[in-house]
Coordinates of all heavy atoms in Angstrom, one line a residue:
L54 N -17.0 0.4 -2.0 CA -15.9 -0.4 -2.6 C -16.5 -1.8 -3.3 O -15.9 -2.3 -4.1 CB -14.8 -0.8 -1.5 CG -14.0 0.4 -1.2 CD1 -13.1 0.1 0.0 CD2 -13.2 1.0 -2.3
R55 N -17.6 -2.2 -2.7 CA -18.2 -3.6 -3.1 C -19.1 -3.3 -4.5 O -19.4 -4.2 -5.0 CB -18.9 -4.3 -1.9 CG -18.0 -4.8 -1.0 CD -18.6 -6.0 -0.2 NE -17.7 -6.3 1.0 CZ -17.9 -6.0 2.2 NH1 -19.1 -5.4 2.5 NH2 -17.2 -6.4 3.0
D56 N -19.6 -2.1 -4.5 CA -20.5 -1.8 -5.5 C -19.8 -1.4 -6.8 O -19.7 -0.1 -7.1 CB -21.5 -0.7 -5.2 CG -22.6 -0.4 -6.3 OD1 -22.5 -1.0 -7.2 OD2 -23.3 0.5 -6.0
H57 N -19.2 -2.4 -7.5 CA -18.3 -2.1 -8.7 C -19.0 -1.9 -10.0 O -18.4 -1.6 -10.9 CB -17.2 -3.1 -8.9 CG -17.7 -4.5 -8.7 ND1 -18.1 -5.2 -9.7 CD2 -17.8 -5.3 -7.6 CE1 -18.5 -6.4 -9.3 NE2 -18.3 -6.4 -8.0
E58 N -20.4 -1.9 -9.9 CA -21.2 -1.6 -11.1 C -21.3 -0.1 -11.1 O -21.2 0.6 -12.1 CB -22.5 -2.1 -11.0 CG -22.7 -3.6 -11.0 CD -22.4 -4.2 -12.4 OE1 -22.8 -3.5 -13.4 OE2 -21.8 -5.3 -12.6
T59 N -21.6 0.6 -10.0 CA -21.8 2.0 -9.8 C -20.6 2.7 -9.7 O -20.5 3.8 -10.2 CB -22.9 2.5 -8.5 OG1 -23.8 1.4 -8.5 CG2 -23.3 3.7 -8.7
F60 N -19.6 2.3 -8.9 CA -18.3 2.9 -8.6 C -17.2 2.1 -9.4 O -16.8 1.1 -9.0 CB -18.0 3.0 -7.1 CG -19.1 3.8 -6.4 CD1 -20.1 3.1 -5.8 CD2 -19.2 5.1 -6.3 CE1 -21.2 3.7 -5.0 CE2 -20.2 5.8 -5.7 CZ -21.1 5.1 -5.0
V61 N -16.8 2.8 -10.5 CA -15.9 2.1 -11.5 C -14.4 2.8 -11.5 O -14.4 3.9 -11.1 CB -16.5 2.1 -12.8 CG1 -17.8 1.3 -12.9 CG2 -16.8 3.5 -13.3
R62 N -13.6 2.0 -12.0 CA -12.2 2.5 -12.1 C -11.9 2.9 -13.6 O -11.1 3.6 -13.8 CB -11.3 1.4 -11.6 CG -11.2 1.2 -10.0 CD -10.5 2.4 -9.4 NE -8.9 2.4 -9.9 CZ -8.2 3.5 -9.8 NH1 -8.7 4.5 -9.3 NH2 -7.0 3.4 -10.2
N63 N -12.6 2.2 -14.4 CA -12.4 2.5 -15.9 C -13.2 3.8 -16.3 O -14.4 3.8 -16.2 CB -13.0 1.2 -16.6 CG -12.7 1.4 -18.2 OD1 -12.3 2.5 -18.6 ND2 -12.6 0.3 -18.9
P64 N -12.4 4.8 -16.6 CA -13.1 6.1 -16.8 C -14.0 6.1 -17.9 O -15.0 6.8 -18.0 CB -11.8 7.0 -17.2 CG -10.7 6.1 -17.3 CD -10.9 4.9 -16.7
S65 N -13.9 5.2 -18.9 CA -14.7 5.2 -20.1 C -16.2 4.8 -19.7 O -17.1 5.2 -20.3 CB -14.2 4.3 -21.2 OG -14.4 3.0 -20.7
K66 N -16.3 4.1 -18.6 CA -17.6 3.8 -18.2 C -18.4 4.9 -17.5 O -19.5 4.8 -17.1 CB -17.5 2.6 -17.2 CG -17.2 1.3 -17.9 CD -17.3 0.0 -16.9 CE -16.9 -1.2 -17.6 NZ -16.7 -2.3 -16.7
N89 N -3.4 -1.0 -15.6 CA -3.2 -2.4 -15.0 C -4.8 -2.8 -14.4 O -5.6 -2.1 -14.7 CB -2.1 -2.3 -14.0 CG -2.5 -1.3 -13.0 OD1 -3.6 -1.1 -12.3 ND2 -1.4 -0.5 -12.7
M90 N -4.7 -3.9 -13.8 CA -6.0 -4.4 -13.2 C -6.8 -3.4 -12.4 O -8.0 -3.4 -12.3 CB -5.9 -5.7 -12.5 CG -5.2 -5.7 -11.3 SD -5.2 -7.3 -10.4 CE -3.3 -7.7 -10.7
M91 N -6.0 -2.6 -11.7 CA -6.6 -1.5 -10.9 C -7.4 -0.5 -11.8 O -8.3 0.2 -11.2 CB -5.5 -0.7 -10.2 CG -5.3 -1.0 -8.7 SD -6.5 -1.3 -7.5 CE -7.6 0.0 -7.5
A92 N -7.1 -0.4 -13.0 CA -7.9 0.5 -13.8 C -9.0 -0.1 -14.6 O -9.5 0.4 -15.6 CB -6.8 1.1 -14.9
H93 N -9.3 -1.3 -14.3 CA -10.4 -2.1 -15.0 C -11.5 -2.6 -14.0 O -11.2 -2.8 -12.8 CB -9.9 -3.2 -15.8 CG -9.1 -2.7 -17.1 ND1 -9.6 -2.2 -18.1 CD2 -7.6 -2.4 -17.2 CE1 -8.7 -1.8 -18.9 NE2 -7.5 -2.1 -18.4
D94 N -12.7 -2.9 -14.6 CA -13.8 -3.5 -13.8 C -14.2 -4.6 -14.5 O -13.9 -4.9 -15.7 CB -14.9 -2.4 -13.6 CG -14.4 -1.0 -13.4 OD1 -14.2 -0.7 -12.2 OD2 -14.2 -0.2 -14.3
G95 N -15.2 -5.3 -13.9 CA -15.8 -6.4 -14.6 C -15.0 -7.4 -15.2 O -14.0 -7.9 -14.7
E96 N -15.3 -7.9 -16.4 CA -14.7 -9.1 -17.1 C -13.3 -8.9 -17.3 O -12.3 -9.7 -17.2 CB -15.4 -9.3 -18.4 CG -14.9 -10.4 -19.3 CD -14.8 -11.8 -18.4 OE1 -15.6 -12.0 -17.3 OE2 -13.8 -12.6 -18.6
E97 N -12.9 -7.6 -17.8 CA -11.4 -7.3 -18.1 C -10.6 -7.4 -16.9 O -9.5 -7.9 -16.7 CB -11.4 -5.9 -18.7 CG -10.1 -5.4 -19.2 CD -9.6 -6.5 -20.3 OE1 -10.2 -7.3 -20.8 OE2 -8.4 -6.3 -20.7
H98 N -11.1 -6.8 -15.7 CA -10.5 -6.9 -14.5 C -10.3 -8.4 -14.0 O -9.2 -8.8 -13.6 CB -11.2 -6.2 -13.3 CG -10.7 -6.4 -11.9 ND1 -11.2 -7.4 -11.2 CD2 -9.6 -6.0 -11.4 CE1 -10.6 -7.5 -10.1 NE2 -9.6 -6.5 -10.1
R99 N -11.4 -9.2 -14.2 CA -11.4 -10.6 -13.8 C -10.3 -11.3 -14.6 O -9.5 -12.1 -14.0 CB -12.7 -11.3 -13.9 CG -13.0 -12.5 -13.2 CD -14.0 -13.2 -13.9 NE -13.9 -13.6 -15.2 CZ -13.0 -14.5 -15.7 NH1 -12.4 -15.2 -14.9 NH2 -13.0 -14.8 -17.0
R100 N -10.2 -11.1 -15.9 CA -9.2 -11.7 -16.7 C -7.7 -11.4 -16.2 O -6.9 -12.3 -16.0 CB -9.3 -11.3 -18.1 CG -8.3 -11.9 -19.0 CD -8.6 -11.5 -20.5 NE -7.9 -10.1 -20.8 CZ -6.7 -10.1 -21.2 NH1 -5.9 -11.0 -21.5 NH2 -6.1 -8.8 -21.4
L101 N -7.4 -10.1 -16.0 CA -6.1 -9.8 -15.5 C -5.8 -10.3 -14.2 O -4.7 -10.9 -13.9 CB -6.0 -8.2 -15.6 CG -6.0 -7.6 -16.9 CD1 -6.1 -6.0 -16.7 CD2 -4.8 -8.0 -17.8
R102 N -6.7 -10.2 -13.2 CA -6.4 -10.6 -11.9 C -6.3 -12.2 -11.7 O -5.6 -12.6 -11.1 CB -7.5 -10.2 -11.0 CG -7.4 -10.5 -9.6 CD -8.1 -9.7 -8.5 NE -8.1 -10.2 -7.2 CZ -7.8 -9.5 -6.1 NH1 -7.7 -8.2 -6.2 NH2 -7.7 -10.1 -5.0
S103 N -7.1 -12.9 -12.7 CA -7.0 -14.3 -12.5 C -5.6 -14.8 -13.1 O -5.2 -15.9 -12.6 CB -8.2 -15.0 -13.1 OG -8.1 -14.9 -14.4
L104 N -5.2 -14.1 -13.9 CA -3.8 -14.5 -14.5 C -2.8 -14.5 -13.4 O -1.9 -15.3 -13.2 CB -3.5 -13.6 -15.7 CG -4.1 -14.2 -17.1 CD1 -4.0 -13.0 -18.1 CD2 -3.5 -15.4 -17.6
Q225 N -4.3 -18.5 -20.8 CA -5.6 -18.9 -20.1 C -6.6 -18.8 -21.3 O -6.8 -17.9 -21.8 CB -5.9 -17.8 -19.0 CG -7.1 -18.2 -18.3 CD -7.4 -17.2 -17.2 OE1 -7.0 -17.2 -16.1 NE2 -8.2 -16.3 -17.6
R298 N -12.7 6.2 -7.4 CA -13.6 5.6 -8.3 C -14.4 6.7 -8.9 O -14.5 7.9 -8.5 CB -14.6 4.7 -7.5 CG -14.3 3.3 -7.4 CD -13.1 3.1 -6.4 NE -12.9 1.6 -6.3 CZ -11.7 1.1 -5.5 NH1 -10.8 2.0 -5.2 NH2 -11.7 -0.2 -5.4
S301 N -20.7 5.5 -12.5 CA -21.0 5.1 -13.8 C -22.3 5.6 -14.1 O -22.7 5.6 -15.3 CB -20.9 3.6 -14.0 OG -21.9 3.1 -13.1
G352 N -13.9 -5.8 -1.8 CA -14.7 -6.1 -3.1 C -13.6 -6.6 -4.1 O -12.6 -7.2 -3.8
I353 N -13.9 -6.4 -5.4 CA -13.1 -7.0 -6.5 C -11.6 -6.6 -6.4 O -10.7 -7.4 -6.9 CB -13.7 -6.9 -7.9 CG1 -13.8 -5.4 -8.2 CG2 -15.0 -7.5 -8.0 CD1 -14.1 -5.1 -9.8
H354 N -11.4 -5.4 -5.9 CA -9.9 -4.8 -6.0 C -9.2 -5.3 -4.7 O -8.1 -4.6 -4.5 CB -9.9 -3.4 -6.3 CG -10.4 -3.1 -7.7 ND1 -9.5 -3.4 -8.8 CD2 -11.5 -2.6 -8.3 CE1 -10.2 -3.0 -9.8 NE2 -11.4 -2.5 -9.6

Side-chain angles (χ1 to χ4, degrees):
L54 292 174
R55 290 206 187 105
D56 181 358
H57 42 90
E58 296 283 327
T59 315
F60 299 96
V61 295
R62 287 282 302 158
N63 185 339
S65 66
K66 291 193 179 162
N89 53 50
M90 68 179 103
M91 261 317 305
H93 292 281
D94 318 277
E96 185 46 37
E97 191 55 12
H98 168 265
R99 199 197 55 74
R100 181 179 81 92
L101 294 171
R102 183 159 169 134
S103 67
L104 283 161
Q225 184 178 273
R298 268 67 172 168
S301 67
I353 59 166
H354 291 287

